[in-house]
Structures are given as structure tokens and as C-alpha cells.
């Protein structure tokens, strides 16, 4: 397939360009708000065309597919324009600034008959897939709790809009809580119901939160703890799932790389679980491309993107109000 990349971003250059090319696909256009940045980006990455005019790129009938990785407030208008032009869309998380906007994108894609997906990479990881299999096959019995450790140190080159621009969708909650919400839904197969939370700024956030902790209740009665931050240089990442018959410890797994370890602990002892080490982004793009061709579904579809955003927004609301908040999925089942 031929692709239009909307947003000359870090994620596009570091991971997504390679993931798309690994399918044998071509990136024909990059669309950027800055002519200079877009042209330099295109040249650095061997892309034929750069433009600041999204409509010009969308008019290229050779391109079936659009990947949106601009700052968060631009996802809605750019994805809507792509859908209107009849393109399939792979959109970065968070899909939009509000649940209603995200739902509008998914409805528009459905009405246009195009494939629409959310780039939630963690569910594409061999470690997360192994954890899900252990839970689904009953290895730990009934799930009692899930604890997600996702406090990282935002590298200097990303310390821009994420830490100081609320209007661009900055803050750790739209950035990382959405991932934790998607991981929770992927692993447990149910949607968080109610949230209590705290958020704050601990050294980086300037007008937006850089850290949050929250507890979510699940319909099954399981409890989920989610910790995310931009300011923790040495914390490491991971998750633990505790059940009536065992526990799973997944260390170093909240990451973009195919790394980390999964350990199962039961009455029979400790077991190092074998995991696939495939590239997360190539896995996600391959599933998206297959879905475009009518084979299967994307790794995370539009509804998954709406739901992860809904949980993140509930965390922010709960922290702001100092009260428990029911997650509002905007009527999406
Ligand atoms: P960047 O800050 O690298 O890029 C965002 C935008 O900033 C670009 O699209 C570009 O604007 C502009 N920009 C970047 N560098 C320059 C520059 N040197 N000069 C001028 N403009 C510049 O953001 P990220 O790549 O970190 O994130 C982009 C999106 O991807 C976000 O929505 C984020 O949430 C998501 N993301 C997803 C990840 C995942 O694993 N799924 C991981 C990381 C990010 P323009 O659009 O005008 O070209």
C-alpha cells in the first residue's frame, strides 16, 4: 500500500516509518505544519513528497492509507479529512481531546466504509500477549488485581508540548494513562467502571500534570492500580496480575521495545514464561494492513481508542474533583 504520513513526528521517524516499510509498503507523502521541517524530514527519511497542505496529499489517489501522528489536538480534523477523502486511517493515541470527538471519528469511518485503528502498541507486545494468555487459560485463577507501573523519565527531546501545552493535549494522562487503560482492557477483557485518582506536577509539568496515580474498579470486582509519570529516572516499568491461584510478574514491559520478562508464580513454584520478541509496531501495522484487505481486525480498533481515552478522561476528572467518577464511554458498547 501507499501511505500519507500526517505529522513529521518522533514516533513516525523512530518506529512507524520502519514498521510500514517492513510490510513492503511505501510512504509517499509527509504532511507537516512547517514547510521547512516537513521538507527536511522528507529528505532525511527518503520520502518523495512533503507538503503543508493536507488536501493536496489526500488528493493523491495512489495513496489508500493515512497515518496520523501529529500533536493530539490535530488528530480530529486531520483524521476526519482523511476519512472524508476515503482513506483508511491509523491514528495515534489519544485519538482526540474528548471522548465525543473520538466517537465522531469512529462513526465517520464506519459511515465511509474505511478501516480505522488506534496505534496502541503495547497490546502488540509478546510480553503482554503472554500475560493475556496466562490469564485467559486460567493459570492464575480469578483475577483479583492488576498493578501497572508506568512512571518513566521523559527524554529531553520530548520535553515540549507534552509538559507545557494543554491545548495541544499535553499531560501524562492523555499520554500514558491511555496506554494503561488499553493494556488493562486487553489483559482483563473488561472495561473499567469507576475511578479514583490523584494527579500533580513533580518537576516537569507546567500547566499540565506530569504524574498520576489512580485506582479503577472493574465489573468483575477486580481492582486496577495505575501509576504514570514523566519524572521518574530510575523507577523501571512493569505490571503485576494477582489471582486466586497465582501471580504474574511482568518486568520492564511498558516500553516500545520487544524486551522485558514474564514470570508466573503458583503453588507449583516459579516459571519463566517464554515470550515472542517480535517488533511491536510492525505487528500492529501488519494487523492494520490485513484489516484493510478484509482479513481480521486491527490490533486496536477505533472503539478501543475511544475506551482508552474515556478511562484517561475519567482519571483526570476524578483527580480534579477529588471524588470517584464513573467512566463515561459516550454510549459506546
Ligand atoms: P513530536 O513532538 O515528536 O511531534 C509532534 C509534532 O511536533 C510533529 O507532528 C511536528 O508537527 C512537530 N515537530 C516535531 N519536531 C519538530 C521540529 N523539529 N520542527 C518543527 N515541528 C516539529 O511528538 P511524538 O512523536 O512524540 O508524538 C506524536 C503523536 O504520537 C502524539 O499523539 C503521541 O501521543 C503519539 N505517540 C504514540 C506513541 C505510541 O507508541 N503509540 C509513542 C509516542 C507518541 P507537524 O505535524 O506540523 O509536522
Amino acid at each position: 500500500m501507499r501511505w500519507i504520513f500526517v505529522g513529521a513526528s518522533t514516533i513516525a521517524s523512530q518506529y512507524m516509518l520502519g514498521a510500514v516499510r517492513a510490510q513492503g509498503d511505501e510512504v509517499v507523502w509527509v504532511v507537516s505544519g512547517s514547510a521547512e521541517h516537513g521538507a527536511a524530514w522528507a529528505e532525511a527519511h527518503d520520502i518523495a513528497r512533503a507538503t503543508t497542505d493536507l488536501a493536496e496529499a489526500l488528493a493523491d489517489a495512489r495513496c489508500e492509507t493515512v497515518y496520523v501522528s501529529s500533536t493530539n489536538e490535530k488528530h480530529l480534523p486531520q483524521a476526519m479529512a482523511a476519512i472524508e477523502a476515503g482513506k483508511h486511517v491509523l491514528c495515534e493515541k489519544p485519538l482526540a481531546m474528548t471522548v465525543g470527538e473520538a466517537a465522531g471519528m469512529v462513526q465517520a469511518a464506519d459511515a465511509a466504509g474505511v478501516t480505522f485503528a488506534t496505534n496502541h502498541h503495547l497490546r502488540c507486545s509478546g510480553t503482554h500477549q503472554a500475560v493475556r494468555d496466562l490469564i485467559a487459560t486460567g493459570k492464575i485463577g480469578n483475577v483479583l488485581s492488576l498493578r501497572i507501573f508506568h512512571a518513566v523519565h521523559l527524554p529531553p527531546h520530548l520535553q515540549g508540548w507534552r509538559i507545557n501545552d494543554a491545548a495541544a493535549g499535553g499531560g501524562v494522562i492523555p499520554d500514558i494513562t491511555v496506554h494503561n487503560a488499553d493494556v488493562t482492557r486487553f489483559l482483563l477483557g473488561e472495561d473499567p467502571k469507576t475511578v479514583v485518582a490523584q494527579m500533580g506536577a513533580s518537576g516537569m509539568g507546567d500547566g499540565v500534570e506530569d504524574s498520576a496515580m489512580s485506582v479503577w474498579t472493574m465489573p468483575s470486582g477486580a481492582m486496577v492500580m495505575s501509576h504514570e509519570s514523566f519524572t521518574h529516572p530510575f523507577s523501571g516499568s512493569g505490571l503485576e496480575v494477582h489471582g486466586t491461584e497465582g501471580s504474574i510478574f511482568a518486568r520492564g514491559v511498558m516500553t516500545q521495545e520487544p524486551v522485558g520478562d514474564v514470570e508466573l508464580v503458583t503453588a507449583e513454584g516459579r516459571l519463566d514464561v517464554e515470550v515472542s520478541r517480535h517488533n511491536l509496531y510492525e505487528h500492529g501495522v501488519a494487523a492494520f494492513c490485513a484489516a484493510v484487505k478484509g482479513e481480521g481486525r486491527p490490533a486496536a480498533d477505533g472503539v478501543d481508542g475511544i475506551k482508552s481515552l474515556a478511562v484517561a478522561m475519567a482519571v483526570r476528572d476524578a483527580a480534579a474533583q477529588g471524588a470517584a467518577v464513573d467512566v463515561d464511554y459516550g454510549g459506546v458498547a
Side-chain angles (χ1 to χ4, degrees):
M1 294 197 296
R2 294 189 186 85
W3 291 66
I4 297 165
F5 270 32
V6 181
S9 66
T10 306
I11 180 70
S13 58
Q14 286 189 339
Y15 291 97
M16 292 302 287
L17 205 45
V20 164
R21 287 176 171 160
Q23 319 299 320
D25 287 5
E26 183 188 355
V27 179
V28 179
W29 291 87
V30 62
V31 181
S32 175
S34 156
E36 201 184 347
H37 176 58
W41 204 91
E43 194 183 343
H45 300 297
D46 199 19
I47 292 167
R49 292 167 189 275
T51 182
T52 56
D53 182 1
L54 176 58
E56 184 191 7
L58 292 175
D60 187 340
R62 297 172 304 159
C63 298
E64 310 98 321
T65 309
V66 171
Y67 167 58
V68 177
S69 70
S70 49
T71 47
N72 301 339
E73 87 288 10
K74 294 182 183 155
H75 295 177
L76 172 74
Q78 292 170 336
M80 285 302 219
I83 291 164
E84 215 167 280
K87 313 291 186 189
H88 306 286
V89 176
L90 175 55
C91 187
E92 270 307 340
K93 45 52 64 172
L95 283 186
M97 301 288 278
T98 69
V99 174
E101 289 175 0
M105 291 155 82
V106 174
Q107 276 161 15
D110 285 348
V114 297
T115 301
F116 184 90
T118 312
N119 201 30
H120 274 309
H121 64 295
L122 289 169
R123 59 166 68 207
C124 299
S125 162
T127 53
H128 290 255
Q129 290 166 350
V131 173
R132 180 163 119 142
D133 287 349
L134 291 170
I135 297 169
T137 52
K139 298 289 190 298
I140 62 167
N142 296 328
V143 174
L144 301 169
S145 60
L146 164 63
R147 304 197 290 207
I148 300 181
F149 312 98
H150 205 163
V152 299
H153 192 260
L154 196 65
H157 70 279
L158 293 181
Q159 291 175 20
W161 59 273
R162 269 186 181 79
I163 60 169
N164 64 16
D165 193 348
V172 78
I173 291 174
D175 200 52
I176 299 187
T177 311
V178 288
H179 282 311
N180 295 356
D182 189 62
V183 165
T184 297
R185 295 186 56 253
F186 177 70
L187 295 182
L188 304 188
E190 55 179 346
D191 298 334
K193 210 168 74 171
T194 305
V195 165
V196 291
Q198 295 277 331
M199 63 181 173
S202 55
M204 278 195 204
D206 175 12
V208 295
E209 79 288 339
D210 62 27
S211 299
M213 279 191 182
S214 53
V215 175
W216 313 342
T217 55
M218 305 298 284
S220 66
M223 295 175 76
V224 176
M225 187 209 79
S226 174
H227 178 205
E228 45 276 355
S229 176
F230 290 149
T231 62
H232 288 44
F234 305 110
S235 51
S237 79
L239 62 84
E240 299 174 358
V241 198
H242 302 288
T244 51
E245 310 297 329
S247 287
I248 301 164
F249 299 86
R251 301 182 184 94
V253 298
M254 306 305 286
T255 167
Q256 297 174 293
E257 304 298 334
V259 298
D261 302 305
V262 178
E263 183 182 34
L264 172 66
V265 181
T266 65
E268 287 164 28
R270 294 178 175 269
L271 175 74
D272 287 328
V273 178
E274 270 196 36
V275 299
S276 167
R277 299 293 178 188
H278 58 259
N279 180 296
L280 283 63
Y281 294 93
E282 287 179 17
H283 187 91
V285 173
F288 175 74
C289 292
V292 166
K293 291 172 190 145
E295 298 157 13
R297 63 181 291 276
D301 62 14
V303 169
D304 293 317
I306 296 170
K307 290 190 172 182
S308 64
L309 179 60
V311 175
M313 292 299 96
V315 167
R316 210 181 234 170
D317 288 349
Q321 294 169 23
V325 165
D326 288 337
V327 182
D328 180 0
Y329 292 103
V332 173

